[in-house]
Amino acid sequence: MLQLDHLTVIAPTLAEGVAHVRDCLDLDVPFGQRHAYMGTHNHLLQLGGAVYLEIVATDPAGIPPGRARWFGLDQPARVRADWEAGRRLRGWVAGTDTIDTVLRGREAIFGRKVSLPPEAPVFDFVIPDDGSLPLDGAAPSLIDRRGRPRSMAMIADLGARLVSFTLDHPGAATIAALHHDLAAEGGPAVVAGPAMRYEAVIDTPGGLRRLT
């Protein structure tokens, strides 16, 4: 029912996020876009096929959206604490063409469907009422592009390609069972670990690199 859409580095500031990815991948990821409807902005990088990397942060010049922002960005102290703990590759977004079916009975995990931009919606995104990450990021955020695949033409292709994607988690069996139930193709391999932590191995022009 689900397909890996993109990985998310959730940063206290966009400059810190870009610097972290530069340190990990030796690539300068270009600016992507501002989300006026969410008060956030991002940088974007192709990772092969229709998969990409998003570096996202609160836009200090943006207008508060009148609701909780996505990706837990209305909790800056938590974002900063995760950042300082090295939890920077913080989650992933899964795409579906049947978002209502996926969401049915799982609202407690994922939240509620929000049509965006509000004035002229072109996609649906599922966000908990408090804006937090689903299961603290162990479950994907959900997006439905309403039959219009994400155009990759405006996303920089610097030769980076996703090789593997892993989630360490103390409740690995439970999380892996959820991913299996969701039929989450392209999602992370879930392995037991003392704390939740993502790692992506990415092939770059400079060789294999690890993004965490």
Side-chain angles (χ1 to χ4, degrees), residues 50-71:
V51 177
Y52 63 97
L53 171 67
E54 176 181 31
I55 307 165
V56 63
T58 298
D59 183 354
I63 299 171
R67 58 147 297 125
R69 292 175 173 89
W70 48 21
F71 301 123

Side-chain angles (χ1 to χ4, degrees), residues 62-131:
I63 299 171
R67 58 147 297 125
R69 292 175 173 89
W70 48 21
F71 301 123
L73 285 166
D74 275 329
Q75 303 170 39
R78 177 62 188 276
V79 172
R80 174 60 69 185
D82 283 334
W83 190 260
E84 297 301 333
R87 289 165 24 119
R88 300 178 177 186
L89 178 59
R90 192 64 180 83
W92 57 296
V93 176
T96 178
D97 294 325
T98 57
I99 200 164
D100 292 321
T101 300
V102 175
L103 189 56
R104 190 173 301 122
R106 300 186 177 102
E107 292 89 349
I109 295 173
F110 294 106
R112 289 193 278 186
K113 183 175 74 173
V114 181
S115 297
L116 297 169
E119 64 279 3
V122 296
F123 69 98
D124 300 304
F125 203 90
V126 180
I127 310 172
D129 288 342
D130 65 357

Side-chain angles (χ1 to χ4, degrees), residues 4 7 46-48 51 160-165 186 200-203:
L4 172 62
L7 310 184
Q46 290 193 39
L47 292 179
V51 177
R161 297 294 180 264
L162 181 64
V163 175
S164 65
F165 180 37
V201 176
I202 297 172
D203 192 15

